[in-house]
Amino acid sequence: MRNAVWAGLYHSMSTDTEHHHRQCPLGENSWCWYQQAVSLGQDPDSHSNHKASTFLSLEVAHRLIPIYRRMSDESLL
C-alpha cells in the first residue's frame, strides 16, 4: 500500500526526459501506461500524448512529500 501511495506522486512528476515510473505497478494490466508499454516490449510514447497526465513541478512535488510521508505512515496503513 505504501508503494501505491508514492506511485501517484512520482507518476505525476514524470516527463519524457525524466521518468519516474519505478513505483508504478508493473505489467500489461498496470494503470501506468508507461509500465504497460514496457511490459509489452514497446517504446512508451510521449507523456504529452496522455490526457490524464498531470505534470507536477519538482517544487510542488517537494512541498507534497511531507504529506505523502504522513499518508504512507505504517500506523495509517
Side-chain angles (χ1 to χ4, degrees), residues 3-54:
N3 194 47
V5 169
W6 285 98
L9 177 65
Y10 283 109
H11 182 87
S12 297
M13 293 169 39
S14 189
T15 65
D16 288 339
T17 57
E18 209 171 316
H19 301 286
H20 294 286
H21 297 284
R22 290 184 310 265
Q23 303 286 0
C24 296
L26 304 176
E28 60 187 56
N29 294 320
S30 175
W31 53 257
C32 175
W33 56 268
Y34 184 92
Q35 290 295 357
Q36 287 176 2
V38 169
S39 72
L40 295 170
Q42 302 169 349
D43 289 330
D45 57 352
S46 173
H47 285 70
S48 62
N49 291 339
H50 295 273
K51 293 178 185 174
S53 65
T54 333

